[in-house]
Amino acid sequence: MSLRIAGIGAMASVGHDAAEVFENLCAGRGAPNVLRGFDRSWFTADQLFEIDDRPVPGADVPGRATAFLLDVVGQALADAGLPAQLDDIPVLVGTGLRELRSVELWWRESAKFPVDRLHFGTALRERFGAVDTHTFANACSASLYALALGADLIRMDEADTVIVAGVDSVTTSMYGLADRFQPSPPDRVRPFDRNRKGTILGDGAAAVVLRRDTGRHGVLRSVGINCDARHPTAPDRNGITSAMRLAHELAGVRPRDIDLVLLHGTGTPLNDEVEARAFGEVFGADAGRPLLTGIKSMTGHTSGSAGVLSLIVALRALATGTVPPITAVDDPIDEVAGYRMVLGTAASEPLSMAQVNGFGFGGVNAVAVVEAAR
Amino acid sequence: MNLAITGVGLALPGDASITDLLGPVMARACAVDPASRLGRKGLRFKDRATQLGLCAADEALRAAGLWNPDLAPDERLTVPGESVAVVVSSNLGNIDTVCRVAQTIGEEGSRSLSPMDTPNASSNILASDVAIRFGLRGPNLMVCNGATSGLDAVHWASTMLRSGRAEYVVVLGVEPDNEMVRQLTDTGRVLDGAAAVVLEVPEHAKSRGVTACAEVGRYVRTAGMAECVDRLTSVDTPHVWFTPEGTGKRPEALAGTMRLDIAGRRGLCYGALGVLQCAAAAGWFAQGGDGPVLALAGNDSDDATAGVLLYAGATGD
């Protein structure tokens, strides 16, 4: 039995569907824009990677995360050639911030917001007739956590098809706390650059159709999941190396089998250093072999959707041999010296196996291994 | 395969025990005071839901023999940290932080925020704080899935055990009471409590000499109550039915079966309900009650109904 990806769907500030997102990332197109949904006077920072879909410019509305989710699930189903009627097919949604932006609009601006819209099951049932829906709020590794559990359902013969999605729309509370934290606001996201100043959040959503034995986009070999159990916000190298090793063990691969790594790469001082060191420790003598890239310099940090969004980019890279670059890096940190970082412009070479990293607040780690379709 | 409940922990108003869950709530029951149960250390800056969750998890882990606070710090967890997963259900857990922070931003700007609110703005803080306090390095899942969430969390715990991702899972259901959640849910009172159960494979419990206080059997999730009841009663005939919240005295389903409304007068239990029902099933069996027990969460006005069958420990199916 193999677990295959039969359909993909994605949206982010860089594109409205998976093809457009991948094309723009490969071309190095993508940057934050000035804040459009929040009042700029509240913050020192003024940049955000938004999907600006508000009906009236500048006036934020409830339910945007749900709308993104329904869009990408619809894309993935259509891409898989499945009807938009899910019934008992499980839908597992990973999210960092649920519909908390709607809660903010309800509390501060008296927007109408029924509590049964805080999770995504109500809307998924309305749109797709789905009854087996699950909302996991697992911070920035949420969608890869959902992928792990979705894969388990198929392996355990409890489903033949599972929809796995990730979604997030940025909250003012998380944006404001990041703003409070950062000594000076970053104007760009510069993962692994010596002068990186931190991350900038972004809206995003991604979905895949995971099926037993059928699917043209690639093979899911494993997802390793664990928890650092160390600190509420700081990443831990031991937890991250364990998650990578677990993913390799479950996939039955060695570091030398991996051709491409989609790094979590948030552009925060701590994440990038810890992730680079953990990669070096796990890959050892093979650390100079795989290509290394990440998407957050062009999409921003899309929180719970980031993992499956990166997974889709990895699948497209495996299928096309083209790897989007990390942009905005002028002076790479010492920790990545000797690694094959894809910086500035896209790389091109045959690839067959990729690793996708996702790490979240609270030390929740998830690492996936995917293989090109043959 | 049934799974054993080998530890139960509660953090409920009036210090209720598992058998108290079966009866009416004491009027004017005192709110849980986490500092008196856990000590003040490590509770500062943690939101109410997290503090309640830590109390219930502490009690459940001790009851299951996985945590011994009398030992040296690195020996308190009596099994390897990576063998223990955490699955938490809560829908309203960090609503207070999000609303309060958004309000401060709107009134005074982001410079007036406390960085200590940062972890609490992410909904998974409950699950990760339980892992941090007890050193639980297995999978760590935060389920925020509406009315069915507590029983869904039990299902994901069961999935993790059966797939081999963990050997033990602490499943926690929590909802806090505060001004924001009362307004958002349009209810006068929310539970302000937590329940936790430790799940493991029965043979595993037996091999380490631990007695199961209940077993968790089949789980189904359906579009409505009637279908959920039909599918579970085709597996086994329940002796007791723990009803979904807000079902009232509707007669149509399971007419001859004894009903218990665990949510009852405790206030809205929401994401905590399913785990409270599992704890209450342990209480039912402890006082000599027969199984199977049917636990249902989510009524016909919710997006789905989830149901679980529970059995007395060691009798199995």
Side-chain angles (χ1 to χ4, degrees):
Chain A
M1 182 186 78
S2 69
L3 298 174
R4 288 182 166 261
I5 310 291
I8 57 175
M11 65 192 302
S13 56
V14 291
H16 293 92
D17 59 43
E20 191 182 10
V21 167
F22 187 67
E23 185 188 328
N24 280 332
L25 291 176
C26 288
R29 286 191 288 266
N33 206 324
V34 289
L35 278 180
R36 286 163 287 176
F38 309 157
D39 188 332
R40 250 179 277 171
S41 68
W42 296 339
F43 310 99
T44 307
D46 67 352
Q47 301 282 301
L48 191 58
F49 291 85
E50 289 174 80
I51 298 170
D52 192 22
D53 60 342
R54 285 105 181 163
V56 177
D60 210 356
V61 293
R64 290 174 62 245
T66 300
F68 302 158
L69 174 71
L70 298 178
D71 189 319
V72 295
V73 169
Q75 286 182 33
L77 287 172
D79 184 51
L82 292 173
Q85 180 65 30
L86 287 164
D87 302 320
D88 287 333
I89 294 175
V91 187
L92 279 51
V93 183
T95 177
L97 302 168
R98 305 185 272 163
E99 271 292 359
L100 290 173
R101 174 59 186 142
S102 300
V103 171
E104 293 178 342
L105 289 165
W106 160 80
W107 181 248
R108 292 289 301 149
E109 297 175 32
S110 304
K112 193 165 175 284
F113 184 68
V115 71
D116 69 351
R117 302 285 157 159
L118 191 49
H119 66 291
F120 298 109
T122 309
L124 287 165
R125 180 160 172 194
E126 281 172 0
R127 175 68 69 87
F128 300 110
V131 296
D132 194 10
T133 58
H134 300 271
T135 299
F136 303 128
N138 252 40
C140 305
S141 63
S143 52
L144 289 185
Y145 249 83
L147 186 68
L149 298 173
D152 289 350
L153 290 181
I154 296 179
R155 280 204 194 90
M156 291 160 63
D157 268 343
E158 293 184 8
D160 296 319
T161 302
V162 178
I163 314 300
V164 177
V167 67
D168 262 300
S169 72
V170 180
T171 56
T172 56
S173 49
M174 196 53 95
Y175 187 79
L177 286 160
D179 191 38
R180 170 73 178 80
F181 241 122
Q182 288 159 342
S184 61
D187 58 343
R188 291 183 294 172
V189 180
R190 311 174 73 181
F192 306 99
D193 189 286
R194 206 180 296 277
N195 297 310
R196 66 195 184 283
K197 285 181 168 179
T199 202
I200 301 176
L201 297 170
D203 297 327
V208 295
V209 177
L210 190 61
R211 302 197 84 177
R212 187 196 310 274
D213 297 327
T214 49
R216 65 191 167 92
H217 291 290
V219 178
L220 177 67
R221 294 285 294 259
S222 72
V223 191
I225 50 175
N226 75 352
C227 180
D228 297 345
R230 287 292 293 275
H231 191 275
T233 54
D236 174 61
R237 185 170 150 190
N238 289 334
I240 289 174
T241 53
S242 297
M244 289 187 199
R245 287 183 172 134
L246 186 57
H248 294 173
E249 186 189 319
L250 292 172
V253 301
R254 294 159 299 181
R256 80 183 67 152
D257 300 323
I258 306 282
D259 304 311
L260 171 67
V261 180
L262 265 288
L263 296 159
H264 187 62
T266 59
T268 61
L270 210 49
N271 171 86
D272 295 357
E273 188 185 312
V274 171
E275 186 176 17
R277 288 179 189 273
F279 166 79
E281 189 179 328
V282 171
F283 279 67
D286 297 308
R289 214 186 82 65
L291 292 172
L292 271 58
T293 192
I295 62 173
K296 294 185 181 67
S297 62
M298 288 180 274
T299 62
H301 192 347
T302 63
S303 188
S305 75
V308 167
L309 197 57
S310 291
L311 182 93
I312 289 171
V313 170
L315 291 167
R316 295 310 301 147
L318 293 176
T320 60
T322 303
V323 179
I326 303 177
T327 55
V329 177
D330 303 322
D331 188 7
I333 56 175
D334 291 340
E335 287 80 0
V336 300
Y339 300 165
R340 294 178 69 210
M341 304 290 290
V342 182
L343 301 177
T345 54
S348 187
E349 66 180 50
L351 307 161
S352 66
M353 190 88 70
Q355 171 184 326
V356 182
N357 292 350
F359 312 124
F361 268 3
V364 285
N365 305 314
V367 176
V369 175
V370 283
E371 189 177 7
R374 276 195 270 269
Chain B
M1 179 174 68
N2 287 357
L3 294 165
I5 296 179
T6 54
V8 179
L10 299 175
L12 296 173
D15 293 329
S17 70
I18 51 172
T19 49
D20 295 337
L21 280 169
L22 305 165
V25 182
M26 280 192 302
R28 297 169 206 264
C30 292
V32 175
D33 174 21
S36 71
R37 288 181 54 169
L38 299 173
R40 294 197 176 279
K41 199 177 167 208
L43 293 186
R44 208 173 164 213
F45 305 122
K46 299 209 184 307
D47 63 22
R48 176 74 178 161
T50 303
Q51 295 193 4
L52 291 167
L54 290 172
C55 290
D58 176 77
E59 191 172 291
L61 286 165
R62 281 189 282 126
L66 300 182
W67 180 254
N68 184 346
D70 298 329
L71 298 177
D74 59 352
E75 294 170 1
R76 285 177 191 161
L77 184 66
T78 61
V79 294
E82 56 272 17
S83 68
V84 191
V86 178
V87 181
V88 179
S89 166
S90 180
N91 297 311
L92 308 167
N94 68 337
I95 300 299
D96 51 343
T97 298
V98 169
C99 291
R100 187 170 41 74
V101 168
Q103 183 154 348
T104 303
I105 291 169
E107 290 170 358
E108 302 168 39
S110 69
R111 290 292 128 194
S112 297
L113 296 175
S114 161
M116 303 317 293
D117 276 324
T118 304
N120 300 342
S122 186
S123 302
N124 73 319
I125 185 65
L126 259 158
S128 57
D129 262 349
V130 169
I132 291 166
R133 186 170 187 102
F134 301 105
L136 313 179
R137 297 196 299 275
N140 189 276
L141 187 70
M142 187 71 211
V143 183
C144 300
N145 208 32
T148 58
S149 193
L151 291 180
D152 297 332
V154 170
H155 162 66
W156 291 112
S158 158
T159 304
M160 286 180 186
L161 290 170
R162 288 179 292 124
S163 66
R165 287 198 187 267
E167 289 178 54
Y168 313 88
V169 188
V170 189
V171 189
L172 190 61
V174 194
E175 296 293 8
D177 190 21
N178 56 56
E179 181 194 354
M180 290 82 165
V181 302
R182 265 175 265 150
Q183 284 193 36
L184 183 63
T185 58
D186 199 20
T187 37
R189 189 161 60 109
V190 180
L191 175 71
D192 202 48
V197 295
V198 171
L199 287 181
E200 61 189 290
V201 173
E203 293 71 28
H204 197 283
K206 196 182 284 181
S207 72
R208 63 187 192 96
V210 176
T211 310
C213 50
E215 287 189 3
V216 176
R218 179 73 65 91
Y219 158 93
V220 298
R221 197 172 194 279
T222 60
M225 275 172 52
E227 188 190 350
C228 198
V229 167
D230 283 349
R231 281 177 54 186
L232 286 170
T233 51
S234 72
V235 176
D236 226 330
T237 308
H239 290 192
V240 190
W241 176 25
F242 293 163
T243 59
E245 207 153 19
T247 318
K249 298 195 184 306
R250 283 184 12 207
E252 62 267 32
L254 286 171
T257 306
M258 180 180 167
R259 295 174 184 215
L260 287 170
D261 180 4
I262 303 299
R265 287 179 287 166
R266 294 181 182 276
L268 181 75
C269 295
Y270 210 23
L273 178 65
V275 189
L276 275 170
Q277 289 172 328
C278 291
W284 173 257
F285 298 127
Q287 63 174 33
D290 280 333
V293 169
L294 173 67
L296 243 56
N299 64 48
D300 287 343
S301 60
D302 293 306
D303 57 306
T305 300
V308 164
L309 287 168
L310 294 123
Y311 301 85
T315 56
D317 52 358

